[in-house]
Structure formats: C-alpha cells, structure tokens
Amino acid sequence: MTEDAPWLVVGLGNPGREYAGNRHNVGFMVAELLASRVGGKFGRHKRAVAEVAEGRLGFGGPKLILVKPLTFMNLSGAPVVALAQFFKVPVDNIVAVHDELDVPYGQVRVKRGGGEGGHNGLRSMSKSLGSKEYARVRFGIGRPPGRQDPADYVLSDFAGAERKELEFLVDRAADVVEAVVLEGVEWAQNKYHGS
C-alpha cells in the first residue's frame, strides 16, 4: 500500500434495478454500505461511466473512493482505470469487491493478485489496469445447485435462506475491506480467514 495515496474500492456489479438483488451484485451492496459508513453519497462521475462516493476511514484516516461501474460487469475495467488515473491511485491501493463461486456462501476471503477464476469483472479490470496485483475481497456465493449454469446462478437473486444472513455477511465484507485498507491484506487474511 502506498502511504497517503487514496484507496479505490471497486464494488463489482451490474447497473439497473433488475440486477440489484443478484448474487453478482454483492460488490455494489458492500460499496453502498461502506459509503454509508464514511458518510459518502454516490453520484455520477464526470470522467468515468461510474457512480462514485468519497469519504475518509475514521478521523483523519485514509481517503476512500468507492466505485460502482455502470458499464456492466464485463466492461468494468475502463471506468476503474479512468478513476485510478483521475484520483492518482496506484494499483497497490485498489480493492475489488466481488462475488466468488469458489468460496462457500457465508465466507469472505481476501487476496492480492492471482487469476480471475472466470470472473468477467476481474478479467476486465486486470486487462485494463495491465496488472493483476490489486487486492480482492471475495464474497463467497458457492457453486450453483445441480446442473444450473453458473452464468444463470450469478444473475439470480439470493435464496430465502441466504437472505437471512446477507446483511450480516455484507457487513463482514465491509469490515474486511476496511481491514485491508488500514492494516494490509496479510493482516486481514489472518483475522478473517479463520472464521
């Protein structure tokens, strides 16, 4: 992490009311909660096809730029690069928050770099940034039941039983993002991966 530079926290999702409750939109849900925590309000940005909210983490803490790209998932990279350049955010200070099929529902994982696991939002970010070395907060949604197509699964809403826990898990994912910003990826892994 680069001292004094702001942090770009990218909640990945799809724009539009019809997608709001989808598993694929959990990144938007976490970004919205973080905005409410730092007193930021989302609004369209003049330099990128995205909604942006700004605030500080704690009194005098690091500046957060929270982003919800409005380009649809597979084109998320372009607004992320435009905003990283506009706010002068190094790749080390970018955090992507996204749904993750390879993590069971109820678990939140964090890592820096690595592959995209077939996630089109991450693939677009890595390609546009020219780097995979940003942090990822991976919100577990688990694998689809039976033979359901993963593409259909991620674009469906959370099931009734999952919704009971969803608010708590979104809250936990927001805590993980804050831990990454304040303490680093390794610290966040040590604190949150055991539980």
Side-chain angles (χ1 to χ4, degrees):
M1 61 192 166
T2 306
E3 295 299 322
D4 299 332
W7 284 79
L8 201 66
V9 177
V10 182
L12 290 175
N14 286 311
R17 204 169 292 145
E18 67 272 32
Y19 299 106
N22 289 180
R23 291 178 174 90
H24 224 20
N25 269 43
V26 76
F28 277 17
M29 297 173 198
V30 175
E32 286 159 6
L33 178 59
L34 284 164
S36 72
R37 285 185 181 185
V38 300
K41 287 208 181 322
F42 277 101
R44 279 298 291 264
H45 198 270
K46 61 184 184 287
R47 293 287 177 90
V49 184
E51 286 191 348
V52 172
E54 298 178 48
R56 287 204 176 269
L57 207 49
F59 182 73
K63 182 176 181 179
L64 289 189
I65 296 124
L66 301 159
V67 181
K68 295 192 298 183
L70 299 178
T71 50
F72 288 95
M73 187 68 83
N74 54 357
L75 300 172
S76 301
V80 171
V81 167
L83 291 166
Q85 290 170 346
F86 181 80
F87 289 105
K88 299 180 173 47
V89 179
V91 170
D92 284 358
N93 283 33
I94 297 175
V95 182
V97 185
H98 64 93
D99 57 307
E100 177 60 69
L101 287 162
D102 293 326
V103 173
Y105 185 73
Q107 295 183 15
V108 178
R109 294 283 177 261
V110 60
K111 70 175 188 174
R112 181 176 294 283
E116 291 91 9
H119 196 290
N120 290 332
L122 294 177
R123 192 177 289 142
S124 177
M125 277 184 61
S126 297
K127 187 175 179 200
S128 295
L129 288 166
S131 172
K132 297 181 180 197
E133 291 308 306
Y134 52 91
R136 298 104 186 270
V137 172
R138 305 156 71 213
F139 189 105
I141 61 169
R143 285 270 160 199
R147 295 182 173 200
Q148 186 179 7
D149 179 15
D152 293 336
Y153 178 70
V154 300
L155 291 174
S156 62
D157 288 359
F158 286 98
E162 292 172 328
R163 277 199 297 271
K164 287 189 177 84
E165 282 187 282
L166 186 58
E167 196 175 325
F168 165 77
L169 294 170
V170 167
D171 195 63
R172 184 184 186 90
D175 291 346
V176 173
V177 171
E178 291 185 4
V180 168
V181 170
L182 294 171
E183 306 290 347
V185 167
E186 270 186 52
W187 190 93
Q189 287 171 334
N190 291 335
K191 179 167 175 61
Y192 290 100
H193 284 202
S195 51

